[in-house]
Amino acid sequence: MLLEIKNLHVEVADKKILNGLNLTIEKGQVAAIMGPNGSGKSTFSYVLAGKDAYNITEGDILLDGESILELAPDERAAKGIFLAFQYPVEVPGVATMTFLRTALNAQRKLRGEGEYSTPDFIKLVRETSAKLGVSQEHLRRAVNVGFSGGEKKRNEILQMAILQPRLAILDETDSGLDIDALKIVSEGVNRLRSPERSMIVITHYQRLLNYIVPDVVHVMSKGRVVKSGGKELALELEAKGYAQYTDEAA
Amino acid sequence: MNAEVRNIKTPAEQALVSAYEGVRAALPGKGAVAALREEAFNRFDANGLPHRRVEEWKYTDLRALMREALPLAAPPDAAAKAKAKDAGKIFASLNCRRLVFIDGAFVPEASDLTPEPGLTIGAMADALAKGDTLVSARVGQVFETDDAAVALNTSLMSDGAVIHVAAGTVLERPIHLVFASGETPSAAFIRSLIVVEKDAQAIIAESHESNVSQVNCALEMVIGDGATVDYYKATQTRGLHVASLLLTVGAKAAVNTFALNSDASLVRNQSFVRFAGEGSTGGLRGVNLLRGKEHVDTTMLIEHAAGHCASREQFKSVLDDSGHNVFQGKIVVKPHAQKTDTKMMTRVLLLSDEAEADNKPELEIFADDVVCGHGATAGALDPNLKFYLMSRGIDDKQAEALLIQAFIGETVEEISHEGFREAIMRAALDWLETRG
Amino acid sequence: MPAVQETVDRVRQIDVDQYKYGFVTDVESEKAPIGLSEDTVRYISAKKNEPAWMLEWRLEAFKRWLTMREPTWARVDYPKIDYQNAYYYSAPKKKPELSSLDEVDPQILETYKKLGIPLREQEMLAGVVRKDADGNVLAERRVAVDAVFDSVSVATTFKEELKRAGVIFMPMSEAIQQHPELVRKYLGSVVPTTDNFFATLNSAVFSDGSFVYVPPGVRCPMELSTYFRINEANTGQFERTLIIADKGAYVSYLEGCTAPMRDENQLHAAVVELVTHDDAEIKYSTVQNWYPGDADGKGGIFNFVTKRGDCRGKNSKISWTQVETGSAITWKYPSCILRGDGSRGEFYSIAISNGMQQVDSGTKMIHLGKNTTSRIISKGISAGKSNNTYRGLVTAHRKATGARNFTNCDSLLIGDQCGAHTVPYIEAKNSSAVFEHEASTSKISEDMLFYCRSRGMSAEEATALVVNGFVKDVLQQLPMEFAVEAQNLISISLEGSVG
């Protein structure tokens, strides 16, 4: 078991968002989390990555059996947690290449590993970006600035491929993507599937799961997991909608 | 050398000092009010008229511009009172409650004093003389400043309006303060106080027209929590016009002001605004239309003393001939006034090589979680646009007029009250039509 | 190694206080008697063996200075300076004539080595292979260096090679002896001795500085650089720099400054004058890293500097780039007088304040000629309990038809104890002037910081990265070596501002 979430309660500005969420993710497992808007999916992803402003009132998050609640976002990243943002942030003036190298070496240092040499790093980025169809020109541009929706999402997957996390959280990676971009991004994600890497795929629609086929599907509503099942659960949701769960949870 | 000791007074300064000394005993108000006057006078006596070495008056050197001080106005005569009914034409088409002042003195017989629940109207001279509690609690205390023009006003304040809008009252009609002058060139020191209590709503308009008189008017305004106030000021004066707005805004209140200066010889419009309560919004806007040797100075100090307030400042000026426009806008965000959101924009259209535009937008920020910005532009009409219009058969002057109209229209359109929006736009169009 | 990583490493290596140049070099020096009088002025002039006209010029300035008052309009607050309780001249004791670098006091050379200044020509010729962010090898660059230690220029490199190109690059004190006609013609022609309190003081007591003359049509074959170092305690530094680019000439000049950590404040009042003739260009870059004082505001340099460029010829250009990270007080407005028709002025600035630092800096663009253009990009970063003010003037006179200015002035606030202020004066006096000014002030973005941290960067690394991005437009204006140094400095300066 890689990740265990126990009875997690989270508030934002005195508003309860997560209400006793329980979830386990096995090593190498790809788990889909589906749910209606406002069910707490994005909050869940931010809480895993360690964003401020979320008040955890109860419960725990265990990675390899150890609580990560006290860890800063960068310490979590060094432990192998990676969040692919729903809305990747623009960082003006900072070249994507510089950003990647700074991040990679920061993580390696926190883990006590040596830094990449410049030629090795450049080779790594060139190879990885080619597979994702990210151009050299993109790498020179400032992080996400002036990128289209698809380019931003591809940039997230590129970062994931470079940083090689053990647990990747993909928050609505399909939103804002046309079908071609969705295919490229999904292929990138599928290439990164491995017995050593777990993934949490957060999505509102079943569409993405045609391309990234999950091992398990969890349905979230009102800040809790209300149902879990196999990948067929996603199809069922597509057909019947979320109404039954929102009513149940209410 | 900027700190030299100055003990030589200009003729205007000497005249003002002797004017004060001459009427000191006769000015309305005793006790605290008299002390307030004395203290303000001493300040004026020590520093004199503001001049270019005083940073806030850098571009309007009143000491140089004011060659003489006119005698204090006498009470208005019958002829002046008779003429007063034609004054304030700019807002005449609106259904307003008119309060008329001639040379600063309130004229009850020309004013509309129909009672209205929640509304109290009085004259400042009476209020000062009687020791009215509203006035004694507020006058000189709404926004403390050591500004010289305000000090001069406080020393010599004689009359003006006192308006109180009780909590929760929504005024039936806008109040129009009509300021006009008599035939004799004279000086007037007008002081008004407007208090709009909690959750009340009021629309206040001022129009100023005059011959060659010298007017120094100050308006202290207090806007209570949750109250909404629109304030319009139209200035079309010959002679000297110095106006100070001292304004404090409570929490969750809304204030919108608009100032029009057209065919005004020499104007200083200064505003001191404090957002003292959280969650309020303010819009301060204006249009200045200058020609000949007119000089219009808009100076404002916007102080965000409480968080979560938003203010927008937008001013457009059109300068023809040797017009000289000054804009100084300082936004101050005090420590702890987090989540302040401000945007100040000033644009100047230069129509003549003799015109001058001086712009000084300032930010002074002591809180970190803020979004503050300002923009300023100056330039001529876009020749491409003008050519485009002319290529469609519109003549030179008309093409310019259309483009100027579009330029100022952008700001006038922000006025939410349809009647005032139209009245102000009409005044602007009148100015354009008479453009040589 | 990525620049940001490197800076963070360096930050960690530095002890309690982040200022890494705070050491004192132990060299014997000779000083003028303490205090300021006509005798002090005469002493300095005599030490420099100056001609009579130079002494006259100084004395004139000194007389004028006695009648002047210290300006108070800037948003800086500092204890009253006691002008009588300071030394106005200090020079490392040395042999009268130096024939080569080997004769320079090894202690001083060691100091410059510690500062990372490649003073020795051998080192320079050996060259260090540098790579850009993508790992490409950069073309080797050579920089001629003039090093000013306290009041005196100690060494100038590449003199011979520059001489062959016709470029004069030497200490001001030598130029007064060797090129009196040029010095007399240009000195004080941009910043007159009467200009302002600090410039007038400098005119009376300046000790040394750099002199550059680039003859017509010459593109200076290498970058010229001066490193200023205040070492002696209780000593003011008053250097005077004069750079002339004759018709069609070009020169890029770099200036760096450091000082030891001392508890008392030290005054630095420099004057820099630039002159460009027709079609000439001067690019002047500064990385100012004087000691800023400690976290409680004790000590640090008072930096009152007058820098002005005169675009005297048509189509000439002056470009100022500054990275201001040091000094307890900064009072500095590098300006351009756009006199020649078609001339252009530029001002690119990064001003960072932390701790108790106070910065009041900006520029003046004075448009006098026809079709003159100017551009101002100012990035202010306030952290700690500091106050950071941009003060600028753009003015187009009646005859400056077709004047154009674009100004962008952004401030970033880190923490809720600091202040960021913007005071622009914009004066248009003819209808064909087109001025555009925009300014913004905001907090450093939490979203950006979180994004960076979620990728593994520490709070400090994330802040450094975001700030470096914020100032990129200005960093790009700097020559490569300076850009890297500046980037490092930015991170170091912001240490302790997060978390």
Side-chain angles (χ1 to χ4, degrees):
Chain A
M1 189 162 45
L2 178 73
L3 183 76
E4 187 179 6
I5 319 261
K6 293 202 291 200
N7 189 32
L8 194 65
H9 289 256
V10 174
E11 291 179 3
V12 180
D14 294 332
K15 199 177 156 213
K16 285 195 156 208
I17 307 288
L18 299 185
N19 296 295
L21 182 115
N22 288 295
L23 183 71
T24 56
I25 305 288
E26 303 297 334
K27 197 169 161 188
Q29 189 182 59
V30 173
I33 293 186
M34 302 183 68
N37 292 328
S39 58
K41 302 193 300 292
S42 281
T43 297
F44 174 58
S45 70
Y46 282 141
V47 168
L48 279 181
K51 194 172 184 179
D52 279 352
Y54 292 92
N55 185 17
I56 296 165
T57 54
E58 213 182 321
D60 207 346
I61 304 173
L62 306 174
L63 187 74
D64 301 322
E66 283 178 32
S67 175
I68 59 165
L69 290 185
E70 296 303 316
L71 297 184
D74 45 324
E75 292 167 322
R76 297 184 196 205
K79 285 201 179 290
I81 295 179
F82 176 90
L83 169 63
F85 283 53
Q86 183 182 0
Y87 303 107
V89 178
E90 299 184 3
V91 190
V94 177
T96 304
M97 198 74 175
T98 309
F99 181 81
L100 284 171
R101 183 164 40 181
T102 310
L104 180 61
N105 282 334
Q107 286 200 21
R108 290 180 67 91
K109 203 164 61 177
L110 270 179
R111 290 196 292 259
E113 300 163 1
E115 289 186 356
Y116 260 89
S117 73
T118 300
D120 287 351
F121 175 76
I122 288 167
K123 189 160 165 264
L124 171 70
V125 176
R126 290 230 164 106
E127 284 172 8
T128 316
S129 54
K131 282 188 204 141
L132 283 163
V134 174
S135 70
Q136 294 301 301
E137 193 257 329
H138 258 100
L139 294 171
R140 276 192 290 272
R141 275 162 57 182
V143 180
N144 295 325
V145 177
F147 285 24
S148 70
E151 287 167 343
K152 284 181 181 173
K153 294 298 169 76
R154 235 185 284 178
N155 191 17
E156 294 293 286
I157 303 307
L158 171 66
Q159 291 175 34
M160 174 172 151
I162 301 274
L163 297 172
Q164 296 278 330
R166 290 193 298 147
L167 173 66
I169 306 137
L170 309 177
D171 188 5
E172 307 265 1
T173 293
D174 50 333
S175 69
L177 294 190
D178 63 24
I179 196 74
D180 293 330
L182 184 63
K183 275 183 186 163
I184 295 169
V185 166
S186 305
E187 280 164 18
V189 171
N190 285 330
R191 257 198 306 275
L192 291 166
R193 282 181 85 148
S194 104
E196 297 301 317
R197 180 170 296 121
S198 310
M199 295 188 188
I200 298 173
V201 181
I202 295 173
T203 183
H204 185 78
Y205 301 105
Q206 188 268 339
R207 186 178 74 151
L208 177 67
L209 304 181
N210 289 336
Y211 297 93
I212 305 171
V213 181
D215 299 319
V216 288
V217 174
H218 303 285
V219 181
M220 219 170 128
S221 179
K222 310 221 162 142
R224 266 183 297 176
V225 173
V226 292
K227 190 172 168 83
S228 302
K231 61 186 179 221
E232 63 288 345
L233 182 55
L235 294 167
E236 188 194 316
L237 279 171
E238 181 83 351
K240 296 188 181 165
Y242 288 112
Q244 49 173 326
Y245 299 110
T246 50
D247 296 344
E248 252 171 56
Chain B
M1 253 134 306
N2 40 18
E4 89 246 42
V5 183
R6 209 180 53 83
N7 42 26
I8 300 164
K9 287 196 164 65
T10 64
E13 286 166 344
Q14 282 166 9
L16 285 164
V17 168
S18 40
Y20 176 75
E21 280 162 354
V23 295
R24 181 180 354 216
L27 287 167
K30 299 283 171 275
V33 171
L36 187 70
R37 286 185 193 281
E38 197 63 16
E39 191 247 335
F41 171 75
N42 288 338
R43 207 153 5 113
F44 173 75
D45 193 32
N47 300 321
L49 287 165
H51 50 90
R52 65 195 171 87
R53 299 283 194 197
V54 177
E55 181 62 23
E56 291 75 18
W57 291 81
K58 182 178 163 67
Y59 296 108
T60 300
D61 186 335
L62 209 53
R63 197 204 281 168
L65 289 166
M66 204 172 149
R67 285 193 201 89
E68 53 163 357
L70 296 172
L72 295 178
D77 56 20
K81 285 180 183 175
K83 255 185 75 183
K85 65 178 192 300
D86 297 327
K89 192 174 69 173
I90 181 167
F91 299 136
S93 64
L94 286 118
N95 179 23
C96 297
R97 173 192 290 275
R98 278 164 59 97
L99 303 177
V100 177
F101 300 81
I102 294 170
D103 292 328
F106 183 48
V107 185
E109 57 269 43
S111 300
D112 179 350
L113 295 169
T114 324
E116 181 177 337
L119 173 66
T120 313
I121 294 170
M124 182 58 86
D126 293 347
L128 288 171
K130 287 182 198 149
D132 178 275
T133 50
L134 180 74
V135 169
S136 50
R138 298 290 192 178
V139 79
Q141 294 156 57
V142 173
F143 196 117
E144 290 196 3
T145 168
D146 55 9
D147 179 80
V150 174
L152 195 54
N153 182 282
T154 303
S155 323
L156 284 156
M157 59 184 175
S158 53
D159 203 357
V162 178
I163 296 171
H164 181 262
V165 183
T169 305
V170 178
L171 287 189
E172 290 163 6
R173 297 178 283 165
I175 296 175
H176 178 187
L177 307 176
V178 180
F179 294 95
S181 72
E183 289 299 313
T184 320
S186 61
F189 294 84
I190 306 164
R191 183 68 158 245
S192 300
L193 172 68
I194 299 177
V195 178
V196 180
E197 301 281 7
K198 192 166 188 289
D199 299 326
Q201 290 180 27
I203 298 173
I204 313 283
E206 264 184 40
S207 65
H208 292 264
E209 58 210 87
S210 71
N211 55 24
V212 293
S213 64
Q214 294 176 338
V215 171
N216 179 328
C217 58
L219 166 61
E220 290 181 277
M221 195 187 311
V222 180
I223 300 179
D225 294 353
T228 301
V229 173
D230 285 359
Y231 171 67
Y232 303 95
K233 179 171 185 285
T235 309
Q236 294 163 304
T237 50
R238 313 314 302 174
L240 171 67
H241 179 88
V242 178
S244 308
L245 170 67
L246 303 143
L247 170 62
T248 298
V249 185
K252 295 195 172 70
V255 58
N256 278 289
T257 73
F258 194 98
L260 171 75
N261 290 289
S262 67
D263 287 320
S265 306
L266 177 50
V267 175
R268 161 84 167 196
N269 254 348
Q270 52 180 4
S271 307
F272 302 84
V273 179
R274 177 176 296 129
F275 288 92
E278 292 197 343
S280 293
T281 59
L284 294 101
R285 300 184 176 85
V287 163
N288 301 313
L289 306 169
L290 281 75
R291 59 185 158 206
K293 290 186 171 178
E294 290 164 3
H295 177 114
V296 173
D297 176 336
T298 303
T299 292
M300 48 182 50
L301 170 65
I302 314 288
E303 188 184 290
H304 283 269
H308 299 271
C309 291
S311 72
R312 294 288 177 272
E313 295 78 23
Q314 191 184 48
F315 288 81
K316 296 269 181 93
S317 303
V318 180
L319 311 189
D320 211 345
D321 305 331
S322 298
H324 183 185
N325 187 69
V326 177
F327 178 85
Q328 303 183 101
K330 183 172 183 175
I331 293 176
V332 178
V333 179
K334 292 281 184 187
H336 315 302
Q338 301 292 10
K339 304 281 178 197
T340 294
D341 173 359
T342 71
K343 182 94 199 147
M344 178 179 276
M345 189 71 214
T346 62
R347 289 185 184 280
V348 178
L349 196 54
L350 296 158
L351 299 176
S352 148
D353 274 343
E354 308 302 313
E356 176 170 346
D358 295 316
N359 231 320
K360 189 182 159 205
E362 253 186 280
L363 290 170
E364 188 176 298
I365 295 173
F366 292 102
D368 67 329
D369 197 359
V370 300
V371 180
C372 297
H374 63 229
T377 65
L381 281 173
D382 183 342
N384 294 324
L385 279 178
K386 196 169 149 185
F387 172 74
Y388 182 74
L389 293 181
M390 289 174 75
S391 76
R392 295 295 176 268
I394 299 166
D395 74 30
D396 185 67
K397 278 289 157 210
Q398 212 183 342
E400 282 193 2
L402 276 173
L403 292 171
I404 295 167
Q405 196 183 329
F407 175 78
I408 55 182
E410 207 185 355
T411 299
V412 176
E413 285 303 314
E414 295 282 332
I415 299 173
S416 57
H417 190 286
E418 195 185 348
F420 282 100
R421 186 170 65 235
E422 283 174 2
I424 285 168
M425 199 61 206
R426 203 169 44 242
L429 293 177
D430 287 348
W431 185 87
L432 273 178
E433 268 170 31
T434 53
R435 202 180 149 232
Chain C
M1 190 160 63
V4 173
Q5 189 52 60
E6 190 181 17
T7 61
V8 172
D9 286 346
R10 286 172 69 171
V11 166
R12 298 220 168 100
Q13 284 158 15
I14 293 161
D15 293 332
V16 202
D17 243 308
Q18 56 262 45
Y19 193 68
K20 66 173 267 198
Y21 305 107
F23 55 86
V24 179
T25 307
D26 194 15
V27 289
E28 247 194 297
S29 65
E30 72 177 321
K31 289 190 259 189
I34 197 161
L36 180 55
S37 66
E38 204 177 295
D39 289 344
T40 323
V41 177
R42 287 182 190 278
Y43 176 95
I44 294 167
S45 190
K47 272 286 156 201
K48 299 277 173 192
N49 211 9
E50 284 177 354
W53 61 265
M54 195 65 241
L55 176 63
E56 275 311 305
W57 197 83
R58 286 177 181 277
L59 289 172
E60 191 99 335
F62 180 69
K63 270 186 213 130
R64 175 78 184 195
W65 182 75
L66 290 174
T67 69
M68 295 170 95
R69 279 166 203 249
E70 209 165 314
T72 54
W73 44 262
R75 180 186 278 284
V76 289
D77 186 17
Y78 54 94
K80 203 166 162 46
I81 299 170
D82 182 355
Y83 291 93
Q84 294 309 331
N85 188 28
Y87 293 99
Y88 287 82
Y89 181 81
S90 168
K93 272 195 182 146
K94 59 172 183 178
K95 295 173 190 169
E97 287 293 321
L98 289 183
S99 54
S100 83
L101 268 179
D102 296 337
E103 291 178 30
V104 175
D105 189 327
Q107 284 272 25
I108 294 176
L109 287 183
E110 187 58 31
T111 300
Y112 283 99
K113 209 169 133 194
K114 268 199 214 170
L115 297 173
I117 301 162
L119 201 62
R120 291 181 166 273
E121 295 180 16
Q122 299 92 304
E123 271 180 41
M124 290 306 301
L125 291 166
V128 181
V129 179
R130 288 170 190 272
K131 289 174 179 174
D132 68 10
D134 289 335
N136 303 316
V137 175
L138 293 169
E140 244 181 70
R141 301 165 68 112
R142 289 179 309 156
V143 181
V145 177
D146 181 24
V148 175
F149 199 84
D150 287 333
S151 304
V152 170
S153 172
V154 291
T156 307
T157 60
F158 285 108
K159 268 186 185 168
E160 285 309 308
E161 188 170 344
L162 288 167
K163 205 171 171 182
R164 279 198 296 279
V167 175
I168 303 171
F169 177 43
M170 57 175 57
M172 181 64 85
S173 53
E174 281 178 36
I176 290 167
Q177 309 289 344
Q178 294 179 27
H179 302 281
E181 71 299 340
L182 285 173
V183 175
R184 286 187 85 161
K185 181 170 174 192
Y186 290 103
L187 189 71
S189 72
V190 186
V191 180
T193 52
T194 54
D195 195 78
N196 70 71
F197 183 81
F198 296 108
T200 305
L201 175 62
N202 172 287
S203 301
V205 301
F206 79 84
S207 37
D208 219 332
S210 293
F211 175 83
V212 178
Y213 173 78
V214 188
V218 172
R219 198 179 164 86
C220 186
M222 64 188 77
E223 261 147 12
L224 305 182
S225 174
T226 303
Y227 270 84
F228 294 102
R229 171 76 179 170
I230 298 180
N231 188 61
E232 200 61 43
N234 220 1
T235 303
Q237 180 150 322
F238 307 91
E239 80 268 1
R240 186 100 192 180
T241 297
L242 175 57
I243 302 177
I244 302 126
D246 216 323
K247 287 181 183 174
Y250 169 85
V251 62
S252 167
Y253 181 91
L254 324 173
E255 177 201 275
C257 349
T258 59
M261 285 158 66
R262 293 192 187 280
D263 284 348
E264 83 271 20
N265 299 112
Q266 281 178 283
L267 178 63
H268 173 249
V271 173
V272 175
E273 296 177 278
L274 310 183
V275 178
T276 49
H277 290 287
D278 292 358
D279 305 306
E281 179 176 348
I282 298 175
K283 196 171 157 57
Y284 193 105
S285 313
T286 307
V287 174
Q288 186 266 105
N289 186 26
W290 297 117
Y291 177 52
D294 70 10
D296 300 322
K298 196 167 184 202
I301 301 293
F302 290 170
N303 194 33
F304 296 92
V305 172
T306 305
K307 291 185 167 180
R308 196 172 303 151
D310 187 356
C311 285
R312 220 164 267 186
K314 64 175 171 37
N315 302 320
S316 65
K317 180 177 167 185
I318 287 176
S319 177
W320 297 100
T321 304
Q322 63 173 25
V323 179
E324 301 285 310
T325 63
S327 296
I329 308 278
T330 301
W331 181 102
K332 184 182 171 191
Y333 316 90
S335 303
C336 296
I337 300 166
L338 303 168
R339 201 184 302 275
D341 290 349
S343 60
R344 178 170 176 82
E346 293 175 345
F347 175 75
Y348 298 98
S349 172
I350 299 169
I352 301 183
S353 57
N354 197 354
M356 301 291 285
Q357 280 177 274
Q358 302 175 61
V359 179
D360 197 299
S361 185
T363 186
K364 291 183 191 179
M365 291 292 172
I366 298 163
H367 292 258
L368 301 175
K370 291 183 174 48
N371 300 316
T372 47
T373 56
S374 61
R375 183 177 165 86
I376 299 170
I377 307 287
S378 166
K379 304 281 179 180
I381 297 127
S382 319
K385 293 179 177 172
S386 67
N387 271 296
N388 201 329
T389 303
Y390 167 83
R391 190 181 302 278
L393 167 70
V394 176
T395 179
H397 286 240
R398 282 268 181 271
K399 287 177 181 164
T401 52
R404 296 274 184 284
N405 167 267
F406 174 78
T407 299
N408 173 285
C409 202
D410 293 326
S411 303
L412 198 62
L413 293 147
I414 303 176
D416 59 3
Q417 310 266 300
C418 52
H421 319 296
T422 314
V423 191
Y425 298 78
I426 307 152
E427 303 173 355
K429 290 171 188 161
N430 73 70
S431 69
S432 60
V434 178
F435 287 173
E436 274 179 74
H437 169 101
E438 55 189 43
S440 74
T441 303
S442 58
K443 186 187 180 178
I444 189 163
S445 159
E446 295 287 351
D447 283 347
M448 277 187 222
L449 292 178
F450 173 65
Y451 190 60
C452 294
R453 295 199 70 189
S454 78
R455 297 300 180 253
M457 295 173 218
S458 68
E460 271 175 8
E461 287 170 308
T463 305
L465 193 78
V466 170
V467 169
N468 272 315
F470 174 72
V471 302
K472 175 120 189 264
D473 292 348
V474 176
L475 281 181
Q476 278 175 336
Q477 301 297 326
L478 287 168
M480 182 58 80
E481 289 86 347
F482 258 36
V484 172
E485 188 184 333
Q487 213 169 21
N488 294 350
L489 264 178
I490 289 165
S491 311
I492 292 168
S493 306
L494 291 171
E495 200 212 4
S497 66
V498 293

